Amino acid sequence: MRPTREPRVTLDDLVEVLLNKGAVLHLDLIVAVADIPLIGVSVRAAVAGMETMLEYGMMRNWDEATRAWAERSTVHRALDLREGESVVRRMSGGHLLTEGVYHGWRPGTVYLTDQRLVVLRKEPREVLWEADLDTVRDVRLAPERTVGGEERLRLEVSLADGRRELLSAGEPETLYDLLDRVRAGRLAPALPSGAVPEEEPAIAEGHLWYEEPRRSGPLWRGGQARLTAGRLTWKSPVDARPALVLPLTDLAGVRRVPGYGPGGEGSVLVLRTTTGEEIRLAADDPDRWARRLTATSPAAAPA
C-alpha cells in the first residue's frame, strides 16, 4: 500500500472506511529541542467500528461486560423485580386482550423470570399481563394466520383458573423451551442476554462472511455460523438474533464461484434455495463448508 492524495475524498468517505474496514496506526515520535531528544511517543492503535472490532476478536470482553451491565440496568428500570427474582430472558412480544370492549393485540416486551411470565409496555409504562409460573398448567405453540396471510407461532398459556391466554414473542420456540425448562426446574435463572438453548448438536461451527441484502446494496459482514442437522444459522457479534436462518430442507444446491471474496480468492459459496433465491457466503475454508452442507442436505448437490 502506498500513500496517495485524493482531493475528491471527503470526511464521509474516511468515516465509512474506518467503520467498515478499520485502520491500524503505528506511530513513533520523538520530540527534540535543540537537537536534544526530550519526549518519546510510541503508539500502536487500531481504529474501527465496533462491529469490525468484534469480528476480529478485539474488545470482546469489554463489549460483553458493557452489554451485560446495560441489560441488568434496563431490566431493573423497566420491570419491578421481586426480592430474589431473576430475569431468565426478555424479548419483544405482546398479549391478546379478549376481555372488555377492546379486542386485539397489545405490543410490549415479554419477560420470563424464575417466578413469573410478564408482558410489559414501556411507554406509557404498564403491565399488560402477568402470571406466576406456579399457576401455569400448560403451554403450547399455536400457529396463527395473520391478516396478510403469513403464518406465525403464538404461545397459548393455560392457567390454573381455566383461562387460556395468547402471547406473541419475537422468538416463540426459544421462549417455549425456556418456559418449559424453568417450570420443570431444569434451568438456572439469570441467563446471559442473548443466550439460546441448543436444540441440536452442531455439525460445524465457525467464522463466515454473509452478504447481507441492504437497501443501499449488499454488504459483506463477518460473524459466526452454526450448522446442525436441521438448519444453517449466521449471526453477527452485534446482532440480537441470527440474520440468516436457513432450514436445510430449503437448500437445493451449493457451489463455489470464481473471483475474490472476503476470505480470499475462490472463497465465495453460493447457496441456492428451493424458491430460487441465492445466498452468498464466504469462508476461509470454503471446501469444508461445502462438503458439510452437501453431506447434511442430500438435495444440495454441488452445482
Side-chain angles (χ1 to χ4, degrees):
M1 298 179 63
R2 295 181 179 180
T4 59
R5 181 179 297 275
E6 174 55 72
R8 292 173 297 178
V9 173
T10 65
L11 180 60
D12 291 342
D13 298 322
L14 174 61
V15 172
E16 182 179 357
V17 170
L18 288 178
L19 290 178
N20 294 332
K21 297 182 179 180
V24 177
L25 306 180
H26 287 189
L27 172 65
D28 292 314
L29 175 67
I30 296 177
V31 180
V33 176
D35 294 330
I36 300 175
L38 296 179
I39 301 173
V41 179
S42 179
V43 176
R44 301 291 184 269
V47 182
M50 278 304 302
E51 183 172 341
T52 303
M53 285 286 197
L54 294 174
E55 287 175 7
Y56 287 92
M58 305 173 71
M59 301 184 71
R60 187 164 294 170
N61 292 336
W62 176 88
D63 180 72
E64 291 175 354
T66 302
R67 287 176 182 272
W69 173 84
E71 176 75 14
R72 292 192 301 269
S73 177
T74 301
V75 168
H76 281 279
R77 287 198 305 266
L79 182 65
D80 293 329
L81 296 176
R82 301 169 180 173
E83 184 177 355
E85 184 179 20
S86 299
V87 174
V88 173
R89 188 67 184 272
R90 72 180 182 121
M91 63 181 67
S92 61
H95 170 249
L96 181 63
L97 181 65
T98 57
E99 299 176 356
V101 178
Y102 178 76
H103 184 286
W105 285 100
R106 299 184 296 173
T109 302
V110 179
Y111 290 85
L112 173 63
T113 77
D114 55 346
Q115 299 182 23
R116 55 184 171 150
L117 185 61
V118 183
V119 181
L120 179 72
R121 181 175 62 196
K122 186 177 180 180
E123 295 293 342
R125 188 181 182 281
E126 179 186 359
V127 174
L128 302 177
W129 178 86
E130 70 173 314
D132 288 348
L133 296 186
D134 55 10
T135 67
V136 176
R137 291 294 175 262
D138 185 44
V139 181
R140 72 181 186 92
L141 290 170
E144 180 190 56
R145 193 165 296 278
T146 64
V147 177
E150 180 184 358
E151 189 175 89
R152 295 182 180 176
L153 288 177
R154 311 298 191 188
L155 265 75
E156 186 179 80
V157 182
S158 300
L159 302 176
D161 58 7
R163 288 181 299 153
R164 291 180 180 270
E165 303 287 348
L166 208 60
L167 306 181
S168 65
E171 302 171 63
E173 297 96 336
T174 298
L175 183 59
Y176 171 81
D177 183 72
L178 288 172
L179 182 57
D180 182 63
R181 294 169 67 188
V182 170
R183 291 175 58 229
R186 301 195 305 270
L187 183 66
L191 286 178
S193 174
V196 178
E198 302 294 351
E199 299 176 358
E200 299 177 285
I203 297 174
E205 286 184 291
H207 186 275
L208 283 182
W209 288 271
Y210 168 50
E211 190 179 61
E212 187 175 56
R214 294 193 175 185
R215 184 174 302 177
S216 58
L219 174 68
W220 284 108
R221 301 178 66 203
Q224 190 74 6
R226 187 171 189 273
L227 175 65
T228 69
R231 62 181 180 173
L232 172 69
T233 59
W234 179 93
K235 181 177 179 293
S236 164
V238 297
D239 291 341
R241 64 182 64 181
L244 172 65
V245 179
L246 176 65
L248 295 187
T249 53
D250 295 345
L251 183 59
V254 180
R255 74 177 191 274
R256 288 183 63 180
V257 296
Y260 189 83
E265 184 71 25
S267 63
V268 177
L269 293 171
V270 175
L271 280 55
R272 180 169 51 86
T273 69
T274 53
T275 61
E277 178 189 4
E278 290 190 343
I279 299 169
R280 294 169 64 87
L281 302 171
D284 294 322
D285 48 357
D287 285 334
R288 182 178 75 93
W289 280 98
R291 288 195 304 268
R292 292 290 190 182
L293 287 165
T294 304
T296 309
S297 178

